[in-house]
mmCIF file of all heavy atoms in Angstrom:
data_model
loop_
_atom_site.group_PDB
_atom_site.id
_atom_site.type_symbol
_atom_site.label_atom_id
_atom_site.label_comp_id
_atom_site.label_asym_id
_atom_site.label_seq_id
_atom_site.Cartn_x
_atom_site.Cartn_y
_atom_site.Cartn_z
ATOM 1 N N ASN G 123 -5.230 -0.264 15.320
ATOM 2 C CA ASN G 123 -4.115 0.291 16.041
ATOM 3 C C ASN G 123 -3.168 1.305 15.369
ATOM 4 O O ASN G 123 -2.310 1.843 15.880
ATOM 5 C CB ASN G 123 -3.278 -0.829 16.627
ATOM 6 C CG ASN G 123 -4.014 -1.537 17.726
ATOM 7 O OD1 ASN G 123 -4.563 -0.846 18.600
ATOM 8 N ND2 ASN G 123 -4.107 -2.901 17.721
ATOM 9 N N PHE G 124 -3.506 1.502 13.988
ATOM 10 C CA PHE G 124 -2.793 2.571 13.403
ATOM 11 C C PHE G 124 -3.261 3.892 13.823
ATOM 12 O O PHE G 124 -4.535 4.095 14.095
ATOM 13 C CB PHE G 124 -3.017 2.548 11.816
ATOM 14 C CG PHE G 124 -2.137 1.554 11.207
ATOM 15 C CD1 PHE G 124 -2.537 0.306 10.640
ATOM 16 C CD2 PHE G 124 -0.859 1.823 10.924
ATOM 17 C CE1 PHE G 124 -1.702 -0.574 10.043
ATOM 18 C CE2 PHE G 124 0.074 1.003 10.179
ATOM 19 C CZ PHE G 124 -0.426 -0.126 9.879
ATOM 20 N N PRO G 125 -2.407 4.978 14.098
ATOM 21 C CA PRO G 125 -2.902 6.284 14.429
ATOM 22 C C PRO G 125 -3.911 6.739 13.419
ATOM 23 O O PRO G 125 -3.664 6.454 12.276
ATOM 24 C CB PRO G 125 -1.618 7.066 14.543
ATOM 25 C CG PRO G 125 -0.456 6.142 14.638
ATOM 26 C CD PRO G 125 -0.880 4.820 13.999
ATOM 27 N N ARG G 126 -4.907 7.490 13.848
ATOM 28 C CA ARG G 126 -5.938 7.907 12.947
ATOM 29 C C ARG G 126 -5.303 8.737 11.686
ATOM 30 O O ARG G 126 -5.912 8.787 10.623
ATOM 31 C CB ARG G 126 -6.940 8.877 13.670
ATOM 32 C CG ARG G 126 -8.014 8.079 14.274
ATOM 33 C CD ARG G 126 -8.994 7.532 13.318
ATOM 34 N NE ARG G 126 -9.660 6.306 13.811
ATOM 35 C CZ ARG G 126 -10.748 6.289 14.467
ATOM 36 N NH1 ARG G 126 -11.430 7.439 14.711
ATOM 37 N NH2 ARG G 126 -11.361 5.227 14.918
ATOM 38 N N ALA G 127 -4.205 9.433 11.967
ATOM 39 C CA ALA G 127 -3.737 10.321 10.880
ATOM 40 C C ALA G 127 -2.832 9.619 9.902
ATOM 41 O O ALA G 127 -2.269 10.095 9.040
ATOM 42 C CB ALA G 127 -2.937 11.516 11.513
ATOM 43 N N SER G 128 -2.660 8.332 10.054
ATOM 44 C CA SER G 128 -1.733 7.479 9.115
ATOM 45 C C SER G 128 -2.264 7.626 7.719
ATOM 46 O O SER G 128 -3.458 7.712 7.404
ATOM 47 C CB SER G 128 -1.825 5.935 9.486
ATOM 48 O OG SER G 128 -1.493 5.825 10.746
ATOM 49 N N HIS G 129 -1.246 7.722 6.924
ATOM 50 C CA HIS G 129 -1.661 7.776 5.349
ATOM 51 C C HIS G 129 -2.078 6.368 4.970
ATOM 52 O O HIS G 129 -1.358 5.342 5.222
ATOM 53 C CB HIS G 129 -0.449 8.269 4.561
ATOM 54 C CG HIS G 129 -0.916 8.661 3.161
ATOM 55 N ND1 HIS G 129 -1.218 7.758 2.282
ATOM 56 C CD2 HIS G 129 -1.192 9.903 2.644
ATOM 57 C CE1 HIS G 129 -1.608 8.384 1.116
ATOM 58 N NE2 HIS G 129 -1.632 9.708 1.381
ATOM 59 N N PRO G 130 -3.098 6.237 4.189
ATOM 60 C CA PRO G 130 -3.663 4.928 3.756
ATOM 61 C C PRO G 130 -2.627 4.113 2.895
ATOM 62 O O PRO G 130 -2.629 2.872 3.003
ATOM 63 C CB PRO G 130 -4.846 5.232 2.843
ATOM 64 C CG PRO G 130 -5.281 6.582 3.282
ATOM 65 C CD PRO G 130 -4.126 7.293 3.820
ATOM 66 N N MET G 131 -1.660 4.897 2.269
ATOM 67 C CA MET G 131 -0.732 4.049 1.622
ATOM 68 C C MET G 131 0.261 3.324 2.425
ATOM 69 O O MET G 131 0.758 2.175 2.246
ATOM 70 C CB MET G 131 0.190 4.952 0.576
ATOM 71 C CG MET G 131 -0.482 5.351 -0.676
ATOM 72 S SD MET G 131 -0.984 3.922 -1.694
ATOM 73 C CE MET G 131 0.483 3.781 -2.669
ATOM 74 N N GLY G 132 0.683 3.965 3.622
ATOM 75 C CA GLY G 132 1.503 3.326 4.648
ATOM 76 C C GLY G 132 0.779 2.126 5.176
ATOM 77 O O GLY G 132 1.392 0.999 5.397
ATOM 78 N N ILE G 133 -0.512 2.285 5.460
ATOM 79 C CA ILE G 133 -1.307 1.212 6.018
ATOM 80 C C ILE G 133 -1.346 0.049 5.011
ATOM 81 O O ILE G 133 -1.088 -1.177 5.351
ATOM 82 C CB ILE G 133 -2.775 1.711 6.450
ATOM 83 C CG1 ILE G 133 -2.659 2.837 7.447
ATOM 84 C CG2 ILE G 133 -3.587 0.516 6.952
ATOM 85 C CD1 ILE G 133 -3.967 3.347 7.906
ATOM 86 N N LEU G 134 -1.648 0.372 3.707
ATOM 87 C CA LEU G 134 -1.868 -0.666 2.757
ATOM 88 C C LEU G 134 -0.644 -1.495 2.559
ATOM 89 O O LEU G 134 -0.530 -2.647 2.456
ATOM 90 C CB LEU G 134 -2.257 0.051 1.343
ATOM 91 C CG LEU G 134 -2.660 -1.058 0.369
ATOM 92 C CD1 LEU G 134 -4.005 -1.783 0.678
ATOM 93 C CD2 LEU G 134 -2.900 -0.330 -1.077
ATOM 94 N N SER G 135 0.601 -0.737 2.432
ATOM 95 C CA SER G 135 1.863 -1.431 2.342
ATOM 96 C C SER G 135 2.040 -2.414 3.482
ATOM 97 O O SER G 135 2.489 -3.561 3.266
ATOM 98 C CB SER G 135 2.855 -0.401 2.228
ATOM 99 O OG SER G 135 4.123 -0.840 2.280
ATOM 100 N N SER G 136 1.849 -1.957 4.691
ATOM 101 C CA SER G 136 2.020 -2.736 5.841
ATOM 102 C C SER G 136 1.071 -4.005 5.878
ATOM 103 O O SER G 136 1.431 -5.121 6.207
ATOM 104 C CB SER G 136 1.758 -2.112 7.200
ATOM 105 O OG SER G 136 2.294 -0.920 7.151
ATOM 106 N N MET G 137 -0.178 -3.795 5.397
ATOM 107 C CA MET G 137 -1.102 -4.843 5.429
ATOM 108 C C MET G 137 -0.928 -5.894 4.441
ATOM 109 O O MET G 137 -1.194 -7.040 4.636
ATOM 110 C CB MET G 137 -2.531 -4.329 5.235
ATOM 111 C CG MET G 137 -2.993 -3.306 6.358
ATOM 112 S SD MET G 137 -2.870 -3.915 8.046
ATOM 113 C CE MET G 137 -4.245 -4.954 8.167
#
Side-chain angles (χ1 to χ4, degrees):
N123 290 312
F124 275 105
R126 276 288 152 90
S128 305
H129 194 285
M131 282 297 274
I133 300 179
L134 189 70
S135 169
S136 317
M137 297 309 278

